[in-house]
Amino acid sequence: MRMYKILVPVDGSDPAMRAVDEALSIASGKKEAEITLLYVSPSPVYFPFYSMVGPSLDADVKEVEEREGNQMLDDIIAKAAAPKSVTLRKKHLYGIAAQEICDYASDTKKDLIVMGHRGMGAFGQVMLGSVSNKVLQLAKSPVLIVK
């Protein structure tokens, strides 16, 4: 029997936490399951004055993102009440969230993507578009959107 693999993109929001709970519920019914919590940091934004401050700005931003992203993932794992048959993993990537989620799910052959219906406020949804909607359009594996 092969392991059942679930990908849960997280951003620390309430809908993302409900997606973690739902993935744990689904996984607890499987003999062997693996849940990967994925956090995608945006690629560093280069400001017009970037050439004046140099590459240290990029390194500083990335260092802060790495530390905060990994701390969030560690906190979620610590709070998750995972059954012993479920393995929890974490992954931190950089880029455009929806694309990174779909690429990672495809590359690692995930059986299911479970994600919250939105992770940011309504204004951000209008300005940036919905990551969950883009994942629904791009993903090759099944997607479960949790409200």
Side-chain angles (χ1 to χ4, degrees):
M1 176 179 201
R2 84 177 173 89
M3 181 177 282
Y4 191 71
K5 297 174 165 186
I6 302 173
L7 177 63
V8 184
V10 294
D11 62 1
S13 67
D14 288 340
M17 297 311 297
R18 288 192 294 276
V20 171
D21 292 340
E22 185 66 27
L24 286 167
S25 177
I26 293 167
S28 67
K30 307 292 181 199
K31 194 163 192 147
E32 283 188 48
E34 172 187 283
I35 296 174
T36 301
L37 303 174
L38 174 64
Y39 177 66
V40 181
S41 291
S43 295
V45 176
Y46 296 104
F47 300 99
F49 59 87
Y50 176 75
S51 60
M52 294 176 2
V53 292
S56 65
L57 176 64
D58 183 32
D60 291 344
V61 169
K62 191 168 183 176
E63 182 181 323
V64 169
E65 277 292 324
E66 189 77 24
R67 184 176 56 249
E68 289 179 359
N70 283 321
Q71 183 61 55
M72 182 190 61
L73 290 167
D74 290 339
D75 290 347
I76 293 170
I77 289 172
K79 291 177 188 172
K84 291 183 181 178
S85 63
V86 177
T87 302
L88 286 176
R89 301 191 187 288
K90 66 179 185 174
K91 184 70 177 174
H92 185 179
L93 298 174
Y94 291 87
I96 299 169
Q99 190 64 54
E100 292 298 326
I101 291 165
C102 293
D103 289 348
Y104 185 77
S106 179
D107 293 347
T108 58
K109 298 178 177 31
K110 299 298 184 204
D111 298 301
L112 177 65
I113 300 170
V114 179
M115 61 189 303
H117 71 295
R118 84 168 83 155
M120 58 178 68
F123 180 73
Q125 289 289 321
V126 170
M127 295 303 292
L128 301 175
S130 169
V131 172
S132 58
N133 187 41
K134 288 178 186 173
V135 170
L136 279 171
Q137 294 173 21
L138 297 173
K140 294 177 182 169
S141 42
V143 179
L144 173 63
I145 305 295
V146 177
K147 283 192 161 195

